[in-house]
Amino acid sequence: MTRTDEELVARSIDGDTDSFNQLVVRWERPIYALAYRVIGREEEARDVVQETFLRAFRGIKNFRGQAKFSSWVYRIALNLCRDWIRRERRAPIQATPEGIDLVELAAEQGPAESIETLVARHDLSKIVAQAMALLPDEQRTAIILKEYHGMTFQEIADLQGCPLSTVKTRLYQGLTVLRRHLQAQGRFDSASTLP
Amino acid sequence: MTNSFRCDDKALLVSYLYGEVSDADRAAVASHVATCAACADELASLGAVRADLARWEPPAADLGFQIVKAPPRPAPQAWWRPPVWAPLALAAGLLLAVGAALANVEVQAANGGVTIRAGWSHPPLTAPGVVAEQAPAHEAVAVKTGITDAEMQKAMAALETRLRAEIGTTAQRPAAPAAVPVSFQGSAVDRGELLQQVRNLVDESERRQQRELALRLAQVVQDVENQRRTDLVKIEQNFGQIESLTSQEAAHQRAITNYLVRASQRQ
C-alpha cells in the first residue's frame, strides 16, 4: 500500500525513520533534477539533495503541514542552491562534456532512436543548458519550476516569495532570452509552428 | 476576465502559453493571434523554446540517500578509565589467589623487595587412627619487585602481621586439619561435629582466599605503578637526548650562518 506524503510525514514526526526514507526515495530525483538545472553541476547537485533531506529530517518535527511536503523540500533545496550560487559568485556552469562518447550513446539507444538522433539530442541538451546558464537566477528558477516540475504560477510565487505577476514576467523574459539564444544557434526559424 | 487581448499583455500571453488561463481569456487570445501575425509568431517561437527545453535531461545520478538512526551515544567518559590490560591483571591476580589459597603465605618486605613464602599446611585427611603430621616443607619463592617506596614496605609488613595473626588463630583451633581425628567408622566421633569442622575449614579457606586476593591485587597495582614510573623516566631521558641533539644542531647551524655572514662580508 502506497502511503501519501501526509501520512509519511505524520509517521516521520513520530520518529519513524523508514517513513522518512520513503519520502526521500519519492522526492530525491525531482530535487536532484531541480538542483542540477539550477546550479549546473552534478556533484554539487547531489550534495544539495543530501543536505536538503538532512535538513528536512532535522526539522520534520517543526513541519506542521502548512504547505505540502514537496513544496517544503523544494524551498529548502532552492535556498541551498541560492547559497551555493552566492558562495561561488558566478553563473551556473553546465558541466556538459565536450566530446560525446558514442559507445555510451549506443548503450542509451532506444529501439526506435537512431544514433544520429541521440547525438542530436545530446547536442540540444548542451545548447539548452548553455542558454539557461545565461539567465538571471530568478528567471532560470521560475522556468525550471514551471517546465520541469509542473508548478502553477501561484506555487512558484510562493516559493520565490514574489507576486504572481512577477512570476509571469520572469517566465516571459526568460523564455524570450532563450528564444534569441536558440535562434542564434540555428535551432528554429521564426516561423515555427505552434506546439 | 478579459474580453479582448492587447499585444503588449505579455502576462496573459504567458498564461495562454502554459494553459493556465480562464476560458474567456483563452478565447480572447486565440481570437487575437488568429489575426495578429506578430503575436502568432511570438507565441509559436515561445512554444518552440518550450519544446527544446523539454529535451534537457539532467545526467543520471546514483542517489539512494537514506537516513540512518545514529547509534546510541557512549556513556560520558569517567575521569579515570582502567587500562586495557586491567582484566588480564585481575585474572592473573585471581589465579594467584586461588593458588595461594591452598598454602600458607608468608610475606616479608625488606631491602626494597618482597619475599613470599608458600608452604603446604593442610595435610590430607588420614585414615582412622593415624595422626597427620604437619608438613614441614616450605616451598619458598622470592619475588623481587624492585619496590623502593617505604610506605609500600610498611603496608606489606602490616599485611603480613595481620595474616600471621589470623593464620595463627586458625592453627590453634581444634578444627585445624592436622589435628582432626577423623573416623569413618561412625563410633568415635560425632557426625555433627565433623560436619561443623568441615564447614569451619571451608569458611577459613574462603577467608584466606579473600586475603590472598587482596594481597595479589596490591602487588599487581604496585608493579604497574613501578612500570609506569620507569617508563616516565625513560621518556624523560629520551626527551633530554632529543633536546641535547637539537641544541647541538642549532649551534651547528648558527656556526654555519656566522661563517656565511663573515664570508659575505669579506667579499
Side-chain angles (χ1 to χ4, degrees), chain A residues 17 21 24 28-29 32 36-37 42 49 94 124-125 146-148 152-153 168 172 175 179 187 190 192, chain B residues 10 14-15 18 20 41-42 44-45 49-50 52-53 55-56 58-59 61 63-67 69:
Chain A
T17 310
N21 281 332
V24 174
E28 65 182 356
R29 295 273 161 201
Y32 169 73
Y36 174 76
R37 287 184 175 117
E42 293 182 50
V49 177
Q94 301 301 328
L124 176 57
S125 193
K146 189 66 189 168
E147 292 289 341
Y148 304 104
T152 62
F153 296 135
K168 290 180 182 176
Y172 176 76
L175 288 174
R179 183 188 67 177
R187 274 303 303 153
S190 58
S192 300
Chain B
K10 303 305 181 188
V14 166
S15 299
Y18 284 105
E20 211 172 313
D41 183 58
E42 184 173 30
S45 58
V49 170
R50 291 194 63 201
D52 276 359
L53 286 174
R55 311 286 288 273
W56 183 27
L63 299 174
F65 300 115
Q66 292 283 294
I67 300 292
K69 280 182 182 172

Side-chain angles (χ1 to χ4, degrees), chain A residues 14-184:
Chain A
D14 291 339
D16 183 2
T17 310
D18 290 340
S19 291
F20 189 85
N21 281 332
Q22 287 183 50
L23 288 167
V24 174
V25 169
R26 189 172 293 177
W27 287 104
E28 65 182 356
R29 295 273 161 201
I31 295 293
Y32 169 73
L34 172 72
Y36 174 76
R37 287 184 175 117
V38 171
I39 64 180
R41 288 170 179 260
E42 293 182 50
E43 196 65 35
E44 282 76 2
R46 273 201 293 268
D47 291 345
V48 165
V49 177
Q50 190 168 1
E51 184 62 23
T52 297
F53 285 108
L54 271 177
R55 289 193 183 186
F57 181 71
R58 288 180 190 138
I60 191 77
K61 289 192 185 301
N62 299 322
F63 179 70
R64 300 289 174 218
Q66 64 274 27
K68 289 194 294 186
F69 175 79
S70 57
S71 301
W72 185 50
V73 288
Y74 270 117
R75 185 187 300 276
I76 296 172
L78 282 177
N79 286 336
L80 288 168
C81 290
R82 195 179 305 135
D83 291 346
W84 185 88
I85 290 172
R86 280 180 188 159
R87 198 165 54 243
E88 297 294 314
R89 291 183 179 176
R90 60 188 178 200
I93 295 171
Q94 301 301 328
T96 312
E98 287 297 320
I100 296 174
D101 188 341
L102 291 177
V103 177
E104 281 186 15
L105 283 180
E108 294 175 12
Q109 188 180 7
E113 203 168 25
S114 69
I115 193 74
E116 291 81 8
T117 311
L118 269 170
V119 171
R121 185 153 63 87
H122 277 256
D123 282 343
L124 176 57
S125 193
K126 184 178 172 182
I127 291 169
V128 171
Q130 287 171 344
M132 288 289 280
L134 297 174
L135 299 180
D137 295 340
E138 292 81 11
Q139 291 178 16
R140 186 172 57 252
T141 303
I143 290 176
I144 289 168
L145 293 173
K146 189 66 189 168
E147 292 289 341
Y148 304 104
H149 300 276
M151 291 191 182
T152 62
F153 296 135
Q154 188 59 55
E155 286 171 334
I156 298 171
D158 291 342
L159 268 179
Q160 292 199 306
C162 63
L164 195 139
S165 58
T166 305
V167 172
K168 290 180 182 176
T169 303
R170 286 174 179 173
L171 285 169
Y172 176 76
Q173 290 175 343
L175 288 174
T176 302
V177 171
L178 290 176
R179 183 188 67 177
R180 285 182 195 143
H181 184 82
L182 292 172
Q183 279 177 339

Side-chain angles (χ1 to χ4, degrees), chain B residues 17 80 82 100 103 111 120 136 145 151 158 161 168 178 205 222 249 256 266:
Chain B
L17 181 69
W80 180 82
N111 299 326
W120 297 106
T145 60
E151 288 183 4
T161 309
S205 172
Q222 186 61 35
E249 183 64 26
I256 291 173
R266 273 188 226 119

Side-chain angles (χ1 to χ4, degrees), chain B:
Chain B
M1 192 170 88
T2 313
N3 291 324
S4 62
F5 176 79
R6 287 180 292 109
C7 292
D8 60 351
D9 190 353
K10 303 305 181 188
L12 185 52
L13 188 71
V14 166
S15 299
Y16 180 79
L17 181 69
Y18 284 105
E20 211 172 313
V21 67
S22 67
D23 290 342
D25 285 343
R26 183 180 293 108
V29 176
S31 168
H32 177 82
V33 295
T35 57
C36 177
C39 286
D41 183 58
E42 184 173 30
L43 197 59
S45 58
L46 292 180
V49 170
R50 291 194 63 201
D52 276 359
L53 286 174
R55 311 286 288 273
W56 183 27
E57 289 293 328
D62 184 18
L63 299 174
F65 300 115
Q66 292 283 294
I67 300 292
V68 183
K69 280 182 182 172
R73 284 186 181 182
Q77 291 189 350
W79 61 272
W80 180 82
R81 283 189 303 177
V84 179
W85 44 260
L88 287 176
L90 185 61
L94 279 172
L95 194 63
L96 284 171
V98 169
L102 301 174
N104 283 332
V105 177
E106 213 177 292
V107 181
Q108 288 181 350
N111 299 326
V114 176
T115 302
I116 301 168
R117 291 181 186 280
W120 297 106
S121 60
H122 301 293
L125 290 174
T126 55
V130 178
V131 178
E133 292 180 2
Q134 179 72 37
H138 272 67
E139 294 172 9
V141 180
V143 181
K144 290 286 181 187
T145 60
I147 299 170
T148 55
D149 195 1
E151 288 183 4
M152 185 61 194
Q153 287 186 5
K154 260 188 207 172
M156 286 297 181
L159 186 59
E160 184 195 1
T161 309
R162 205 174 74 199
L163 286 172
R164 281 179 178 284
E166 288 180 1
I167 291 168
T169 308
T170 307
Q172 287 170 4
R173 286 179 187 167
V180 175
V182 181
S183 170
F184 291 106
Q185 306 299 324
S187 57
V189 181
D190 181 62
R191 190 173 290 271
E193 191 180 327
L194 179 61
L195 281 174
Q196 185 59 42
Q197 288 172 356
V198 171
R199 282 198 199 99
N200 289 340
L201 280 172
V202 171
D203 291 345
E204 181 58 31
S205 172
E206 286 177 355
R207 280 194 292 274
R208 193 160 48 239
Q209 284 182 26
Q210 290 171 358
R211 286 194 298 271
E212 290 304 319
L213 176 61
L215 174 67
R216 302 302 167 188
L217 284 178
Q219 276 186 285
V220 169
V221 170
Q222 186 61 35
D223 286 347
V224 171
E225 179 64 20
N226 287 338
Q227 186 61 45
R228 192 179 69 84
R229 287 180 187 173
T230 308
D231 290 344
L232 283 175
V233 169
K234 280 182 186 171
I235 290 168
E236 207 170 351
Q237 287 170 348
N238 287 338
F239 271 121
Q241 286 174 355
I242 291 168
E243 199 174 7
S244 169
L245 287 173
T246 309
S247 301
Q248 288 173 9
E249 183 64 26
H252 183 60
Q253 293 293 334
R254 209 178 301 120
I256 291 173
T257 309
N258 290 338
Y259 172 77
L260 288 173
V261 169
R262 283 197 300 274
S264 62
Q265 283 172 348
R266 273 188 226 119
Q267 288 174 357

